[in-house]
Amino acid sequence: SKLVSGLTKTRDNIVSGIDSIFSGFSNIDDDFYEELEEILIMADLGINTTTAIIEDLRAKVKENKIKEPKECKELLISSIKDQMKVGETAYEFEDKKSIVLLIGVNGVGKTTSVGKLAGQLKDMNKKVMVAAADTFRAAAIEQLTEWANRARVDIIAQQEGSDPAAVIYDAVTAAKARNVDVLICDTAGRLHNKKNLMEELKKIDRVIDREYKDAYRETLVVVDGTTGQNALAQAKQFSEIADVTGIILTKLDGTAKGGIAIAIQSELGIPVKYIGIGESIDDLQKFDADDFVNALFK
Ligand code: GDP
């Protein structure tokens, strides 16, 4: 599948190392666990998640009275899956009048993800509108206009440099007038200017609270998978300044750092809702932790 091929480099990074210790060790001892720990940390799972996985694995090995390293691979897979449980991941915005906000720093793939999501929802026969509230970057407005044309969905945009909250106001007004099912909003992300960004997001929130309070609200942080631990740090920072309901992890194709998906879901307890595995519309896929781990260990 596309998921399996998209994760090739991450799989090579994690699984080849793991396979070599499952065959290289004859006992499940401290050295074995140490080496496994090192591989998981190197594969971008990070220290906290890795420690939790190893502890859980130790307990499972004991409980199942496993003696051979090669017998514990299935247990490791289930330990990883257990760490990623964040409850049911819902996509309620697909069935309700909704407003979906994409936030995240520049270059992570926000505009692209808005376009892909718009195209997919349009294909589900939803009435979709996009809002170009990344007014900081002129190219973002042009890029989103292209995506909107391609997906044949309406777009609300203003001049570069205009107030993002004003764009959202326009978009909400138009969405109500045109009976739009899902309004998807691109936003600007200058995290180095955290205070301004916070104010900007708060102002957008107030507009939505006031003008579109009956709409179902979804706020997705977009992070770039190729940045590994940095993606986790960014997702965490944004979750501190906004009511984040999910994460979009982009650019997993072509990176060996895909293990970060495991760390994000395990450490933040926020569901990864989509992953990006390429540049075309279909390359934004709903994320399922079990499918992801199965694809990794294929
Ligand atoms: P923004 O600044 O956050 O809006 O980022 P953009 O949407 O402009 O994306 C930045 C670059 O990343 C563009 O060249 C996109 O085509 C690329 N991109 C976005 N998502 C993916 C993905 O899942 N895979 C790959 N390979 N490229 C992506």
Side-chain angles (χ1 to χ4, degrees):
S1 71
K2 186 103 201 207
L3 179 62
V4 172
S5 62
L7 294 176
T8 300
K9 283 193 182 165
T10 298
R11 185 168 42 252
D12 289 350
N13 189 18
I14 299 185
V15 176
S16 56
I18 283 177
D19 280 345
S20 76
I21 63 164
F22 282 131
S23 56
F25 277 81
S26 45
N27 294 310
I28 303 175
D29 52 18
D30 286 346
D31 287 349
F32 168 83
Y33 284 118
E34 252 169 53
E35 196 132 334
L36 181 58
E37 191 171 353
E38 195 166 316
I39 288 168
L40 295 180
I41 290 171
M42 294 301 287
D44 266 283
L45 274 71
I47 290 173
N48 297 343
T49 302
T50 297
T51 305
I53 289 169
I54 300 277
E55 258 172 40
D56 185 61
L57 180 65
R58 279 180 186 267
K60 284 190 164 95
V61 163
K62 214 169 194 178
E63 190 185 311
N64 292 278
K65 302 191 168 61
I66 298 293
K67 296 278 183 292
E68 300 273 321
K70 63 177 185 296
E71 288 176 281
C72 75
K73 184 165 174 179
E74 287 309 315
L75 294 182
L76 173 66
I77 292 172
S78 83
S79 288
I80 294 174
K81 286 178 180 172
D82 288 350
Q83 270 308 303
M84 295 174 78
K85 295 271 178 289
V86 288
E88 187 89 29
T89 306
Y91 296 85
E92 285 176 88
F93 62 87
E94 288 181 347
D95 305 309
K96 295 178 173 169
K97 283 261 178 291
S98 312
I99 178 162
V100 182
L101 222 56
L102 268 63
I103 61 177
V105 304
N106 286 335
V108 291
K110 276 188 308 293
T111 308
T112 308
S113 298
V114 170
K116 289 171 175 172
L117 201 52
Q120 290 183 15
L121 288 162
K122 165 88 180 181
D123 285 346
M124 292 165 65
N125 290 319
K126 305 289 172 194
K127 194 161 165 51
V128 181
M129 178 184 278
V130 296
D134 181 354
T135 58
F136 188 65
R137 227 169 35 99
I141 302 172
E142 284 162 29
Q143 212 179 314
L144 193 61
T145 305
E146 273 171 36
W147 275 104
N149 290 341
R150 213 177 310 154
R152 283 170 292 110
V153 303
D154 289 351
I155 177 167
I156 299 297
Q158 292 182 6
Q159 301 276 308
E160 178 187 358
S162 57
D163 180 1
V167 177
I168 299 293
Y169 179 87
D170 270 6
V172 165
T173 306
K176 286 192 289 194
R178 298 180 207 173
N179 201 25
V180 162
D181 295 314
V182 189
L183 169 62
I184 312 171
C185 310
D186 196 10
T187 64
R190 287 155 287 155
L191 198 59
H192 60 272
N193 203 336
K194 199 168 166 181
K195 192 157 171 288
N196 282 4
L197 182 64
M198 243 162 100
E199 290 307 318
E200 205 165 281
L201 292 176
K202 278 206 185 115
K203 201 169 163 193
I204 288 173
D205 268 348
R206 282 198 297 272
V207 169
I208 301 168
D209 284 342
R210 200 174 57 228
E211 306 295 332
Y212 211 26
K213 56 178 171 301
D214 295 335
Y216 179 79
R217 196 104 61 99
E218 183 90 29
T219 303
L220 304 172
V221 185
V222 185
V223 289
D224 177 343
T226 64
T227 65
Q229 291 298 312
N230 208 10
L232 171 68
Q234 275 175 19
K236 188 164 186 296
Q237 279 179 301
F238 274 93
S239 72
E240 286 160 2
I241 63 171
D243 290 328
V244 173
T245 55
I247 286 158
I248 298 180
L249 181 60
T250 61
K251 310 187 198 181
L252 286 188
D253 52 307
T255 179
K257 297 177 185 286
I260 196 63
I262 299 168
I264 287 175
Q265 189 142 316
S266 149
E267 285 184 38
L268 298 187
I270 301 171
V272 175
K273 291 204 172 173
Y274 293 93
I275 52 172
I277 50 169
E279 301 196 64
S280 67
I281 283 197
D282 297 332
D283 294 336
L284 186 73
Q285 293 195 347
K286 281 185 180 167
F287 180 78
D288 178 273
D290 287 353
D291 289 348
F292 181 83
V293 177
N294 290 339
L296 272 188
F297 284 90
K298 213 167 173 61

